Each structure stands twice: as structure tokens, then as C-alpha cells.
Amino acid sequence: MPHFDPITRDGLVELITDRIRELGGRVLIAIDGADAAEPVTAADHISTALRDTGRAAEVVSLHDYIRPASLRMEFGRTDEMSYRTAWFDYAALDREVIRALRDDARWLAALWDEDRDRSARSPIRTAAPGTVLLIAGPMLLGRGLDFDLSVHLDMSEPALYRRTPPVDRWTIPALLRHDRDNPSAPTFFIRWDHPDRPALRIDDIARR
């Protein structure tokens, strides 16, 4: 049976930051979690802690790799399968961020402007030696993306319904189904039902 130990948010950031600092070269980290878990905010805290140590660190939001509305909503505005497979451009994320960083020491911070539904026109950025990119968003794990470390902010179904705005609750079955169909073994599995009181799954940590 999995075992969870309570941990403070600051302690969690310190734990993850220390693990990242053990890795040399340019590093890619997944911060995987539903929008209700606010994975971008978690990634921002980690990147700030890394920069405080002198390590270059940036955050890429999966919502900046969202597909155009015409593709997302081809089968309706609340289609579960579309949310799982057509909402976010994971292939472009792989091409423009993950493989670009590994192969060419560069990355594209944003591909699509979700609010304006048009190209983000973001410039390509060059990565300094030792740069850490934290990619944050839903359903990142289980897609064969090449991350060096991964953090999963796990939320139960009641917590998702509690923390997701009513207009977006149609996404919850898709999130739960993705997790069921793609059981992940992240580097850090965090119980995140109450973000002010996280708990760390320590049996997975012990194996790494």
C-alpha cells in the first residue's frame, strides 16, 4: 500500500529543488496536474527557488500550447475525448520545447494565444548552460514525453469538483480517465487535495 507523509509547501519546493540541482546540463521537468491544482503556480515557486541558487529556470505553461478553438471544439465545447486528445498540442510541445532544448539549446515559450485565439508570435529563446525548463499543465504524463524528472499533483474526484469552476467541470471525467488509462510513476507523487497541506508518497521516492 502507498504511504504518504505530510510535508509543507516550502519543504516540498526545497525537496524538489534539491533533486533538480543534482542534475547537470539542461533539464526538463514535468509539473503535471489539473488546472484546479494550479501546476503553473507550483512550477513558478520551484523556478524561483532554483533562480535563488543561481540556476537558470523558466516555466512553460501547457495552456500556451493549446490548439486553436476551431480544432478544440470541432465536436462541441464540452467533448471529453477532445479534451484528452485535441485540446493541447503535445506534439508541438515535444517538438518546440522538449526536443528543441535537448537538440539545439533553444525553445519556444508559447505557440498559441488562448485568449485571442491566434498565434502567440513568441520569439525563440536560447537556453543557457544548465537551464531548467519546468513544463506545467494537465495530462502531461503517459504521453512518452522525455522529462528528466516529473511531479504529479494528484487530486481526488471530490477535490477536483470542489476546486474546479462549474463552467469547467466537464473536464473532470477526462482528467480522471486519463489517469486511470495512464497510471504514472512520477518522481514525486503529491497528494494535492488540500494544497496548503500536501502529502508526499514516500514509497516511490525510496525507489529512486
Side-chain angles (χ1 to χ4, degrees):
M1 292 291 293
H3 180 73
F4 290 85
D5 270 3
I7 189 170
T8 65
R9 292 188 69 160
D10 288 345
L12 182 61
V13 168
E14 182 179 1
L15 177 68
I16 295 171
T17 300
D18 287 346
R19 184 65 180 276
I20 293 171
R21 291 178 65 199
E22 295 174 0
L23 303 176
R26 299 178 179 93
V27 177
L28 286 152
I29 310 296
I31 309 296
D32 175 75
D35 289 342
E38 299 183 342
V40 173
T41 299
D44 284 337
H45 290 319
I46 297 167
S47 66
T48 297
L50 285 166
R51 287 194 291 269
D52 286 345
T53 70
R55 190 83 178 258
E58 301 289 344
V59 175
V60 176
S61 171
L62 184 60
H63 274 272
D64 288 327
Y65 273 80
I66 203 163
R67 285 194 167 104
S70 60
L71 298 178
R72 299 197 311 269
M73 301 176 188
E74 182 179 1
F75 299 102
R77 291 180 175 272
T78 59
D79 182 73
E80 175 187 336
M81 185 58 69
S82 293
Y83 187 69
R84 292 179 62 196
T85 63
W87 209 261
F88 301 105
D89 198 338
Y90 297 98
L93 179 75
D94 186 35
R95 182 181 67 248
E96 302 295 344
V97 179
I98 297 173
R99 287 192 282 121
L101 184 76
R102 297 212 185 279
D103 297 343
D104 302 312
R106 62 173 180 82
W107 85 96
L108 183 66
L111 182 67
W112 198 255
D113 186 321
E114 183 174 6
D115 292 333
R116 298 181 180 181
D117 198 33
R118 69 182 189 189
S119 172
R121 298 180 181 176
S122 177
I124 292 174
R125 302 180 61 178
T126 301
T131 292
V132 178
L133 285 188
L134 298 108
I135 301 173
M139 301 178 290
L140 285 168
L141 303 184
R143 297 183 183 276
L145 299 174
D146 183 18
F147 296 112
D148 296 293
L149 295 176
S150 56
V151 178
H152 177 62
L153 305 177
D154 187 69
M155 300 184 76
S156 66
E157 184 172 355
L160 285 169
Y161 275 100
R162 185 174 67 248
R163 297 182 60 87
T164 301
V167 70
D168 294 325
R169 286 177 183 165
W170 65 271
T171 64
I172 293 174
L175 293 164
L176 295 171
R177 184 178 294 276
H178 177 81
D179 284 349
R180 287 195 302 269
D181 291 350
N182 300 278
S184 61
T187 315
F188 298 95
F189 188 104
I190 315 298
R191 183 169 284 166
W192 202 251
D193 281 8
H194 301 279
D196 58 330
R197 291 178 280 127
L200 173 67
R201 183 169 173 170
I202 62 170
D203 54 324
D204 283 346
I205 296 297
R207 292 199 296 267
R208 287 167 169 76

